[in-house]
Amino acid sequence: MKISFKYISYFLLLIMGVSMTLSSCTNDLNVTPGDDDEFLSEAFFQDPASYKQVLAKLYAGLYVGGNDGDSKADIAGIGGDFSSYLRLLFVTQEFTTDEAIIAWADGTLPTLNTQTWSPANEFLEGTYSRAFYHISVANEFLRQTTEEKLTARGVDENLKKEIATFRAEARFLRAFSYYNLMDLFGNVPITTENDPVGFFYPEQKTRAEVFAFVESELKDLDSSLADSRSNEYGRIDKTAAKFLLAQVYLNAQVYIGQDKFSEVATLTNEIITSSNYTFAPVYKNIFSADNDRNGAQNEVIFPIVGDGNAIRATGGGMSFIMHASIGGSMDAASRGMDGGWQGIRTRREFVNLFPDANGIADKRGSFYTDGQSLDINNVGTFTDGYAVTKYINKNADGTAAQRNDIPDIDFPMFRLSDAYLMYAEATLRGAASGNMATALTYVNKIRARANATPITAANLTLDFLLDERGRELHWECHRRTDLIRFGKFTGASKIWQWKGGSINGTATESFRDLMPIPARNIQANPTLKQNPGY
């Protein structure tokens, strides 16, 4: 029986029984596993199946955190589902904005709600360290799969060709981590498979240098990744690389002070017209338990795969997002879950983007309001603020998912409708390769699916597009980056409850458009320089 890649990814973490301790990644060191570690060792790669297993670990690492199937943390000092890559992206991209707020008072978590964080924030440290850990795994995989090593091991030519695609995917996943680091922290070190193995302090690069590295990698991968829609579900292809490159270019003015909007329009046009990804007809199905097979998979370009049976990360990824979003008088069973953790809601300013708080007019506005107040008078009270019911651990036809403690939902990291919105924004910002009539058609296609009123050319403004991105893409880890690009994350141009720490919100300092380099990482690598303002 053929086991799909979706299941390989997660069973590996459960049954391999091996440990990969790249603990020094927390300290910005580029190391390989020690003598006692089997995973990624020379002996491990004697098995031809090992290459796909390591690739599967790279994909699984986007969802899970903590350890590799035993009790040993994979990053020293940062264990458990707390260190889930997806969970940390959600924390940094959503809690810092108008889209989400969390009731919990764990450590320095409340400072993310209020844009008052400091370099000592352990959640920022987790995000920084998790991304570098992921990079180190990719680097070691690339070291172990050179032509020289494969030939020495007697790997046959057919497997070599397959491994060449694996290597391209590993490079994409490494570029994805560098993109997140560049976006959140700015100036960070770059390590690749060509750097020495062992204890050393990698050189911190400027944001422009990281941008150039990511750009170069993604452009080069167009010749080595699988053709669009030809790979196994859950694995990326050439379209994913084009999409990430379009994201990089969309934010180029923030990252390097240069206009790359024509490049955005060109890339997104290629994705929309030539990739064979198609617009899913039903919005809610994109966020349901069977979104890998209900038609949504045709729109989602890069899913972070979840599976209730094959994954045991009870607090990572979508398990965190689902459990933490349930509380008050909500019926967890109606969401397909076994209970709620009374944590995440949204703020009134985000609710006000929708014409109807119950989402009747715009199907994307899915809020639970029974017993919930619109205003958040007390951040620690779950019933202050509307709950968001965008994701559901039930199949599109209403039937039950595999289980109710860990959801089946795949997280839609990249999807086609975002390419529509990127094309429209780039065109509105002056892309020479864009067409305003086409941009308007794309936006209205999105709105028609949502049962929202179509707009005219006069309505298509930057402020409208920022709001529309919120309506279409909320809780998909885009909001912080979007607000920064539109100049509304810090400062006084956009205020929401508890921004700056006051109930009605207040202006915050512009240096907070960049997160601080975590203090613990600077202690471990004294060559790192802190971002201004911290």
Side-chain angles (χ1 to χ4, degrees):
M1 181 182 71
K2 180 181 179 182
I3 300 176
S4 74
F5 185 80
K6 174 173 180 174
Y7 292 97
I8 290 173
S9 297
Y10 300 116
F11 278 126
L12 278 171
L13 298 178
L14 306 178
I15 65 175
M16 281 179 58
V18 296
S19 170
M20 184 180 67
T21 308
L22 293 177
S23 58
S24 295
C25 297
T26 305
N27 301 337
D28 294 329
L29 309 175
N30 195 39
V31 301
T32 190
D35 293 337
D36 296 331
D37 293 304
E38 298 175 44
F39 200 45
L40 292 183
S41 67
E42 184 64 37
F44 180 76
F45 281 106
Q46 296 303 314
D47 180 359
S50 63
Y51 299 98
K52 191 168 188 178
Q53 290 174 346
V54 178
L55 179 68
K57 179 185 172 57
L58 275 168
Y59 280 100
L62 297 172
Y63 193 112
V64 301
N67 59 63
D68 297 300
D70 58 13
S71 59
K72 183 184 283 187
D74 56 8
I75 301 176
I78 304 175
D81 293 322
F82 160 79
S83 65
S84 159
Y85 202 137
L86 175 55
R87 176 171 174 166
L88 289 165
L89 277 183
F90 193 90
V91 166
T92 53
Q93 286 287 348
E94 300 294 348
F95 295 171
T96 58
T97 76
D98 58 336
E99 284 190 357
I101 194 167
I102 192 162
W104 305 342
D106 300 5
T108 59
L109 187 60
T111 66
L112 295 171
N113 286 329
T114 57
Q115 293 194 2
T116 56
W117 52 77
S118 75
N121 188 291
E122 67 268 35
F123 297 89
L124 298 179
E125 178 196 337
T127 306
Y128 188 93
S129 298
R130 172 56 60 190
F132 272 112
Y133 175 86
H134 206 240
I135 288 165
S136 288
V137 177
N139 284 343
E140 187 58 26
F141 177 68
L142 293 169
R143 290 189 190 102
Q144 293 289 347
T145 53
T146 62
E147 176 66 25
E148 181 182 25
K149 283 186 176 287
L150 296 179
T151 299
R153 294 181 192 131
V155 174
D156 67 55
E157 292 303 314
N158 288 332
L159 181 54
K160 279 185 178 180
K161 291 178 182 177
E162 193 174 8
I163 291 171
T165 303
F166 295 169
R167 286 174 57 86
E169 292 174 57
R171 288 173 62 195
F172 170 87
L173 293 170
R174 181 176 66 182
F176 176 70
S177 281
Y178 275 121
Y179 164 74
N180 289 318
L181 287 164
M182 171 179 65
D183 181 70
L184 287 161
F185 300 102
N187 305 333
V188 297
I190 295 176
T191 61
T192 72
E193 71 276 19
N194 298 317
D195 285 303
V197 172
F199 187 98
F200 79 104
Y201 295 130
E203 181 184 354
Q204 187 176 21
K205 302 295 185 180
T206 66
R207 206 179 202 183
E209 288 173 313
V210 182
F211 180 100
F213 174 78
V214 173
E215 177 187 30
S216 175
E217 284 287 281
L218 293 173
K219 291 170 79 171
D220 186 62
L221 287 175
D222 189 62
S223 62
S224 51
L225 284 169
D227 289 338
S228 187
R229 306 261 2 232
S230 69
N231 216 341
E232 292 175 274
Y233 177 80
R235 292 170 61 186
I236 55 89
D237 56 27
K238 291 182 179 181
T239 299
K242 284 184 180 180
F243 189 103
L244 182 54
L245 185 57
Q247 278 194 328
V248 170
Y249 285 149
L250 186 68
N251 294 286
Q253 282 191 327
V254 174
Y255 300 152
I256 61 172
Q258 293 181 24
D259 177 338
K260 298 280 186 178
F261 297 120
S262 286
E263 289 89 336
V264 175
T266 298
L267 285 166
T268 51
N269 179 65
E270 291 175 5
I271 293 169
I272 293 164
T273 61
S274 306
S275 69
N276 293 319
Y277 285 92
T278 56
F279 196 63
V282 182
Y283 182 77
K284 69 179 182 63
N285 290 358
I286 302 170
F287 315 101
S288 65
D290 60 346
N291 60 354
D292 61 335
R293 59 189 184 277
N294 65 22
Q297 76 275 13
N298 299 321
E299 177 170 330
V300 179
I301 296 166
F302 177 21
I304 294 181
V305 178
D307 187 281
N309 280 337
I311 185 171
R312 306 309 313 140
T314 56
M318 286 304 307
S319 184
F320 162 72
I321 294 171
M322 286 299 299
H323 279 112
S325 304
I326 298 171
S329 64
M330 297 175 72
D331 176 18
S334 72
R335 312 305 309 153
M337 299 300 292
D338 61 347
W341 297 346
Q342 313 270 347
I344 314 171
R345 303 90 73 207
T346 192
R347 314 190 199 212
R348 71 183 181 197
E349 291 79 12
F350 181 70
V351 175
N352 290 340
L353 295 183
F354 295 87
D356 186 318
N358 292 312
I360 295 171
D362 189 323
K363 293 179 180 179
R364 299 168 298 184
S366 52
F367 303 108
Y368 183 85
T369 62
D370 189 13
Q372 305 286 134
S373 65
L374 178 61
D375 283 312
I376 301 173
N377 293 302
N378 187 335
V379 174
T381 300
F382 181 85
T383 51
D384 281 14
Y386 286 178
V388 173
T389 56
K390 178 170 184 171
Y391 299 98
I392 185 168
N393 189 38
K394 287 187 175 184
N395 297 322
D397 64 2
T399 57
Q402 295 181 99
R403 52 194 303 147
N404 63 5
D405 56 340
I406 300 174
D408 286 340
I409 308 162
D410 298 346
F411 185 84
M413 183 57 68
F414 299 166
R415 58 189 179 92
L416 186 64
S417 65
D418 191 2
Y420 290 164
L421 291 169
M422 286 197 285
Y423 179 92
E425 182 182 337
T427 300
L428 196 58
R429 290 185 186 273
S433 56
N435 179 280
M436 285 299 297
T438 302
L440 183 63
T441 298
Y442 289 155
V443 171
N444 278 330
K445 185 174 183 178
I446 291 171
R447 290 181 63 77
R449 179 173 66 180
N451 197 37
T453 305
I455 64 166
T456 66
N459 302 132
L460 189 56
T461 65
L462 287 176
D463 283 343
F464 171 86
L465 272 179
L466 176 61
D467 291 349
E468 189 69 7
R469 287 188 63 82
R471 288 185 285 263
E472 177 69 17
L473 302 170
H474 64 282
W475 284 35
E476 296 181 48
C477 295
H478 297 289
R479 190 61 168 177
R480 172 190 163 275
T481 304
D482 286 349
L483 288 171
I484 291 172
R485 186 172 68 256
F486 282 81
K488 295 180 182 294
F489 181 65
T490 55
S493 60
K494 188 174 181 65
I495 298 294
W496 53 83
Q497 282 198 317
W498 296 105
K499 179 180 178 179
S502 66
I503 186 170
N504 290 315
T506 189
T508 52
E509 306 95 329
S510 62
F511 69 79
R512 294 188 182 277
D513 283 349
L514 268 180
M515 296 297 190
I517 305 295
R520 186 179 172 198
N521 298 92
I522 291 179
Q523 290 171 0
N525 181 355
T527 68
L528 296 177
K529 293 183 179 179
Q530 184 57 271
N531 287 326
Y534 292 107

